[in-house]
């Protein structure tokens, strides 16, 4: 899986800036204990997790490809 695009403007030995972002230090909290707020919070948190996972896995892939 390649999540970055080869950009001739970025040297091959430079990690693309969008891949060098940290994951959020904290996740959002639900507005209340209502089912709707909990469901919304779960969806928001899952989206944050998957975006971070994709970025992390892309960074790992970029490093492994560079070490070949």
């Amino acid at each position: 899986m390649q999540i970055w695009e080869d950009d001739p403007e970025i040297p091959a030995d430079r990690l693309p800036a969008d891949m060098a972002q940290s994951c959020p230090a904290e996740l959002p909290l639900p507005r209340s204990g209502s089912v709707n707020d909990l469901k919304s919070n779960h969806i928001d948190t899952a989206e944050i997790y998957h975006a971070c996972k994709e970025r992390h896995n892309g960074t790992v892939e970029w490093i492994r490809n560079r070490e070949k």
Side-chain angles (χ1 to χ4, degrees), residues 11-32:
D13 63 342
R14 300 280 315 254
L15 181 67
D18 61 331
M19 293 174 62
Q21 297 176 10
S22 297
C23 294
E26 296 182 21
L27 295 172
L29 296 174
R31 291 184 190 97
S32 75

Side-chain angles (χ1 to χ4, degrees), residues 40-53:
S40 178
N41 179 259
H42 177 74
I43 292 168
D44 293 345
T45 300
E47 288 174 351
I48 291 168
Y49 166 80
H50 287 287
C52 182
K53 176 185 165 198

Side-chain angles (χ1 to χ4, degrees), residues 49-68:
Y49 166 80
H50 287 287
C52 182
K53 176 185 165 198
E54 185 175 342
R55 190 168 54 248
H56 171 77
N57 289 345
T59 301
V60 170
E61 179 186 352
W62 182 88
I63 291 168
R64 286 184 179 154
N65 286 334
R66 202 175 148 236
E67 293 176 347
K68 287 183 182 179

